[in-house]
Every structure is written in C-alpha cells, then in structure tokens.
Amino acid sequence: MKRFLIGMFFVPVLVFAQQDKITVNTLLQKIQNYTSTIKSFTATFVYVVNKKTYNGVMYYKAPQKFAMEYSSGNRILSDGKVLWIVIKDQNIAIRENLEKTKTATPLTGWNIQRLQKEYIPFLPKDYVVMFRGKQSYRIEFKPKSTLSAFRYIELVITPEGQIQRMVAKNQLGREVQLELSYTGFNMSLGEDRFLYEPDENTYIFDDILISTPAES
C-alpha cells in the first residue's frame, strides 16, 4: 500500500515538471500558427447564455466573417463590419456596427492579434485542464480598458492550438460560453452566407447591445 501511495504522488510531479516550459506566449503562438492555416471552417456549436443552452451550425471565413444558424431558426452573422442578430419568430433584427460600438464578436478569439490589442493574456494557476478527455490548456484575458466589450475572456485550446471553447463575461455581467465541434476545414463559402437582407416587415433595432464610447 505504501509503494502505491508513493507512486501516486510522484507521477503528477513529473507531469507538471514538463509543463513548466509552457508560457502564455508559446500558447498564443500555437493559436496563431494554427489559425493561419485555416481559411474557413464549419462546426456544430453549443452556446450557453443566462444558463440557457442553444445549439446549431456555424460557418467561419477568415479573417472575421461568421454565421451561427440556430436550430430554432434564429441567426447571428457578421461580415466583419456589421453584426446581425435575427430573431425569426418575432421578425426582429438587431444590427450592430462593430466599428462604431467596438463590439467583440463570439469568434474574437480566432483573431488572436486583434484580441491582444484590447486584452492582456495570462496563464491561470490551473492552466492545464482536461477537455473532452484530452489534455488542453486554458488562457485568460483581462481588458486593458473599461471600454472593452468583456470583463474577461477565457480560451481552452488543444496542444496544437485549436480553439475548443470560449467563455466571456460582458460589461453587464452576463456570462456567455461557446463550444465548437469542427466538421470541416478550408472549404469554399460564399459571401452571401455572411450577409443579411431584412424584408419590409422586419423590425430593425440599431446598436442597442453596447453603448459607444461617447455614450459611456
């Protein structure tokens, strides 16, 4: 029994000794190296906000175009300049000017260089985690300014630099979580997938999610 207990204590020590070489910069470089090879992807997603869980299919096109199509028929999509949130059953569309409001999109982590302009990355004490049965790494980001869209952002990545999960808390204190299960990479995606054209019966609300710096 004593030999067994000693073995249990020694194994974690050896594992974590190997992890000492990992820094936040090496992990950020892994993300950048990995994402630089990805021009587009498709994935199924699980999106959690206000303790409610939603799912659907996501399409992404570098550098910052995406479309999230929910199983309910609702949509969130962006061409990188304008973010649309389309609520199908109420015939409502919320339009956010990303350049005006400086709103961060749900895929902000995929543009790691842009993310670092507004947030400071660091490794928490428990940065080595198990995710989906595999060893992964956790990186946290804190805002450089109170005008940033989120109070904090957390990424969970694979050793290769693939982003698996993003968790963030916005300035209203609402936590959102996005998990991705990738289904394809570097396929051709038309530009129209990331554009939304409301019809004459759609109620449109502009820039209501986050105030502009001038209004803060």
Side-chain angles (χ1 to χ4, degrees), residues 86-185:
V86 182
I87 305 174
K88 182 180 179 181
D89 60 351
Q90 299 181 43
N91 211 22
I92 290 175
I94 299 172
R95 178 170 51 195
E96 292 287 319
N97 185 321
L98 300 181
E99 296 176 337
K100 177 182 177 182
T101 62
K102 299 185 183 301
T103 304
T105 73
L107 288 188
T108 187
W110 270 81
N111 191 333
I112 200 68
Q113 292 178 320
R114 178 182 174 187
L115 185 62
Q116 290 181 81
K117 290 181 179 179
E118 294 188 47
Y119 299 87
I120 301 171
F122 65 96
L123 292 183
K125 184 177 181 180
D126 52 345
Y127 68 91
V128 180
V129 296
M130 294 297 293
F131 187 74
R132 296 174 181 166
K134 297 182 180 180
Q135 179 175 296
S136 301
Y137 303 107
R138 190 162 63 92
I139 307 173
E140 292 187 2
F141 298 80
K142 59 182 179 181
K144 295 180 180 179
S145 167
T146 56
L147 298 178
S148 297
F150 296 109
R151 296 180 184 177
Y152 79 83
I153 297 173
E154 174 190 293
L155 300 182
V156 173
I157 69 169
T158 66
E160 296 77 26
Q162 185 185 85
I163 297 172
Q164 301 278 294
R165 180 174 67 188
M166 290 169 275
V167 181
K169 180 176 289 186
N170 65 20
Q171 294 296 349
L172 300 178
R174 178 177 297 176
E175 184 173 279
V176 296
Q177 177 176 307
L178 178 66
E179 288 190 15
L180 300 176
S181 297
Y182 300 94
T183 55
F185 295 95

Side-chain angles (χ1 to χ4, degrees), residues 13-110:
V13 172
L14 293 174
V15 171
F16 282 100
Q18 295 174 354
Q19 302 299 338
D20 289 342
K21 298 179 181 179
I22 295 176
T23 67
V24 67
N25 289 331
T26 59
L27 293 180
L28 292 174
Q29 189 62 51
K30 284 179 179 290
I31 296 175
Q32 188 169 327
N33 292 345
Y34 181 83
T35 56
S36 67
T37 68
I38 306 300
K39 304 305 178 185
S40 64
F41 72 73
T42 58
T44 58
F45 70 83
V46 177
Y47 186 63
V48 182
V49 59
N50 285 346
K51 298 182 179 181
K52 293 183 179 180
T53 301
Y54 307 89
N55 56 67
V57 179
M58 176 179 292
Y59 302 87
Y60 170 84
K61 187 173 184 178
Q64 51 191 350
K65 298 176 182 179
F66 74 93
M68 298 172 65
E69 299 182 358
Y70 290 75
S71 57
S72 63
N74 296 337
R75 301 167 66 196
I76 299 179
L77 66 161
S78 175
D79 61 357
K81 297 179 180 180
V82 177
L83 174 73
W84 286 97
I85 300 176
V86 182
I87 305 174
K88 182 180 179 181
D89 60 351
Q90 299 181 43
N91 211 22
I92 290 175
I94 299 172
R95 178 170 51 195
E96 292 287 319
N97 185 321
L98 300 181
E99 296 176 337
K100 177 182 177 182
T101 62
K102 299 185 183 301
T103 304
T105 73
L107 288 188
T108 187
W110 270 81

